[in-house]
Amino acid sequence: MNLLNRLTKGMGREIGLLVALFLMIAIFALIDPIYLSPGNLLDIVDQSTINGLLAIGITFVIITGGIDLSIGSIMAIVIVSVGWFLTKQGMNPILAIILGILIGAVIGLFNGLLVTKFKLQPFIATLATMSAFRGVAYIITNGWPVLNIPQNYRDMMDGDLVGNFPISIPILLAFAIISHIILKKTRTGTFVFSIGGNEEATRLSGINVDFTKMVTYALCGVGAALAGMVMLARLGTGEPAAGQGYELYAIAAAAIGGTSLAGGKGSILGTLLGALILSALKTGLVVIGVDSFWQYIAMGTIIAVAAYFEIIQSKFSGFGKRLSGKR
Amino acid sequence: MSNPIISFKTISKSFPGVKALDNINYDVMEGEIHALIGENGAGKSTLLNILHGIYNEYEGEVWIAGKKAAFKNAHDAIKAGISKVHQEVSLIADLTVGQNVALGHEPKKGPFIDFNTLHAKVDVILERLRCKFRSIDLVSTLSTGEMQMLSIAKALFHESRIISFDEPTAALTENESRALFEIIRELKANGITVIFISHRLDELFQISDRITVLRDGKYVGTYHTAEMTRQKLIQSMVGRDVAAFAERQKLGLKTNEIVLEVKNLSKTGVFENISFQLNKGEILGFSGLVGSKRTDVVRAVFGADPKTAGNIYMKGKKVKIQTPKQGLKHGIGLIPENRKTQGFIHNLTNAENMGLASLEKFSHLGFINHKQKIDNCNRLTKELQLNPKDPYYMTYNLSGGNQQKVVLGKWLTTDVDVLIFDEPTKGVDVGAKAEIYRLMEELLAAGKSIIMVSSELPEVIGMSDRVMVMHEGKMIKELQRQELDEETILHYAMGGSEYKS
């Protein structure tokens, strides 16, 4: 019991999310037991990988009080460039993947530059690059999709590891674990939280705020690059139109997971659970046969409900303020 | 004196884990200026919040003009003629003065706001308060002092009979404070009852008729101001003898070694040609009126703001300081004036806040050594007598004095040589003030040097080895400790020239 208490200290939000996830699964299973089949459960996780990778990346940016609307477009650039490396250049897939990650990081740094050196508001800066990056993706392929992605690459990013267990899940977990460590164990992680809490006080503590922000946008770009490369492997073609609107579900996953859009609050585990909840809901609605138009309404509702729970929760934990906390 | 207009009868109020008020009984007489004092956490604000209907659940009764009051919210209290002039003025900057004053009670013509009547009505009140601004002016164009007047105008607009002032002079200049006091006396002459909270004892003696003291949620007593002394008042507030607390215990720590030298520092349009030296082991006071740009100078020295010309030397070596990071690197730390917006970070714990500026020390390859960080916090908690002692406590929930200690702890962790205190005891209660002064002296004894910007003259006079007096961006005069008195400092602070031979 003591160990359980220690493990769960400061994790009220995550435990609540886990309960919500199990409740949701239980309800869908009651309506249609097929939902509980191993194949379907695996599907839920599998469907959450792309959104999960995007959402983990954007969690860094949101905790600093920023936002990145351009991640869908970053995905597209990485998709068509990696596709081009593989098909036209015949590049070694491992090299292509490394280059893809680098491209994501560099594009992210560009966003960071607009936000820090040029002092654009993150929303406006990334709204602009959302459009501009999309244009870049179209220009790279002249508007055509990149076809015939080689099978060895597809196996590497989305093949089956054992049985039906897709390799994309360990990729997501690896990125999540690394991100978690950065956020909780490193200096940069502490600065991410302190910037979100009070940027001026952080600067006056002799910390290079601009550098830390650049790092968060770069990590966000890396998340988008990984998401894009999983998608490229899954579909086998590289569409320059891919990833449109994905930023919204990534933000939703982070918000459901308890990341505050005002900055200063959030966790990788919460974001992961947020992505899983969205995926479980979507899969469940398909399984029980809800019309796809209604699915949009259900997704919207769950986002609003999650945000409302956040408010209630903070109200009941001592006048909305935490007395003490542990990271 | 006439009848009681407010009677607090056996008022008690509890918050989870704390008894904020315990059996408060006393009367406020009609038409008097009644001061309410006590250390931070004594229960002053809680009592006021009950009076103003902000807290509606409490034990005991409040009687207003012979009738039992049962306010459900602040609105009820305003309707009953009880208004509050806020500590931190909360106004809507993009609306006009008139709109702010009448907010929620605008005169209507049909479904529309009758702006002519509104502005005419507000202008009459502004004239009565001798304000220079008018009802149609935008709030964003007003100074802090003027905004305070606007709050008073709001109270008069609602025809209040009881007006409370919570630390009204905290953000005002001397002149503005003086003008405010005149207004308060005029309110009194018009039969309005004034409740006045302030940490500045001099003010209470200037303005109040009677003083009620609270301590730890309990009623200590109500005294006629004329029969009280400063010393007796402080004793009743803290329950112990804090004799002349802004007084140096140890002098002669100042050495001849020059730690920091600033030469011809300028920032176009703000300050020009500022030069001074700081010796090891001394407290160099910076005095001046609001607008003398003292804070701007020390911020530029630390690297928080850019400068246009001038050089900074640390221990004789010329250094480049353009960012706080460089300031820290060269051994300067800044404890800023506004803790909440510049000092500590609200979503971090004490340990995290204290470690923030020196995480490099506690980490290896970027990974933080958690235990070292906590140990550091525990050590400083003891040294600074921080309360509560929990390193995981959220700094945000501490009292003002303890928050200040956390910010101080952050800079002590960094091992800087020069500490710049900007208004070190602003919003800090008497007991914590004494502790902060004691800490400053301990720092000197440990070989550090201190620059102290302060608006409180007793603090400047009591604590400084030397004082630089500024006026409108210029260094006017350097005063040695033996030359310090209020008249001399004020003379130069107001731009006066040499008058003593």
Side-chain angles (χ1 to χ4, degrees), chain A residues 185 203 205 264 322-323 327, chain B residues 304 347 368 392 394 397 410:
Chain A
K185 304 282 179 199
R203 190 179 76 93
S205 300
R322 280 187 309 158
L323 278 179
R327 284 192 215 297
Chain B
N347 58 334
I368 299 168
Y392 297 108
M394 303 301 288
N397 295 317
K410 174 171 79 183

Side-chain angles (χ1 to χ4, degrees), chain A residues 116-117 119 195 199 207-215:
Chain A
T116 56
K117 297 294 174 233
K119 309 211 182 302
I195 290 171
E199 184 170 333
I207 286 150
N208 194 335
V209 168
D210 285 358
F211 176 79
T212 307
K213 281 188 174 176
M214 300 275 280
V215 170

Side-chain angles (χ1 to χ4, degrees), chain A residues 9 63 181-182 184-188 190-191 193-208 263-265 319 321-327, chain B residues 15-16 299 302-305 324-325 328 334 340-349 352 356-357 359-360 363 366-368 390 392-394 396-397 410-411:
Chain A
K9 188 174 179 184
I63 295 175
I181 291 173
I182 292 175
K184 307 273 165 158
K185 304 282 179 199
T186 69
R187 280 211 302 266
T188 304
T190 303
F191 298 159
F193 280 104
S194 74
I195 290 171
N198 187 336
E199 184 170 333
E200 178 64 2
T202 307
R203 190 179 76 93
L204 290 177
S205 300
I207 286 150
N208 194 335
K265 216 171 116 197
F319 294 104
K321 296 167 201 160
R322 280 187 309 158
L323 278 179
S324 67
K326 204 168 201 170
R327 284 192 215 297
Chain B
F15 294 111
R299 278 177 62 95
F302 173 61
D305 291 334
K325 196 180 160 112
L328 168 64
L334 173 74
K340 278 210 172 77
T341 60
Q342 302 175 348
F344 68 90
I345 289 160
H346 73 86
N347 58 334
L348 298 189
T349 61
E352 287 168 330
L356 193 63
L359 278 186
E360 219 152 320
S363 37
F367 289 90
I368 299 168
D390 178 8
Y392 297 108
Y393 203 81
M394 303 301 288
Y396 180 81
N397 295 317
K410 174 171 79 183
W411 290 107

Side-chain angles (χ1 to χ4, degrees), chain A residues 203-283:
Chain A
R203 190 179 76 93
L204 290 177
S205 300
I207 286 150
N208 194 335
V209 168
D210 285 358
F211 176 79
T212 307
K213 281 188 174 176
M214 300 275 280
V215 170
T216 64
Y217 282 95
L219 285 168
C220 188
V222 169
L226 290 170
M229 290 189 292
V230 169
M231 192 171 174
L232 178 68
R234 196 165 285 178
L235 300 179
T237 54
E239 286 274 0
Q244 263 179 51
Y246 278 35
E247 64 281 350
L248 297 181
Y249 285 108
I251 295 168
I256 290 172
T259 306
S260 163
L261 271 285
K265 216 171 116 197
S267 74
I268 298 297
L269 183 58
T271 296
L272 261 188
L273 287 168
L276 274 176
I277 285 175
L278 281 175
S279 167
L281 178 71
K282 206 168 177 194
T283 316

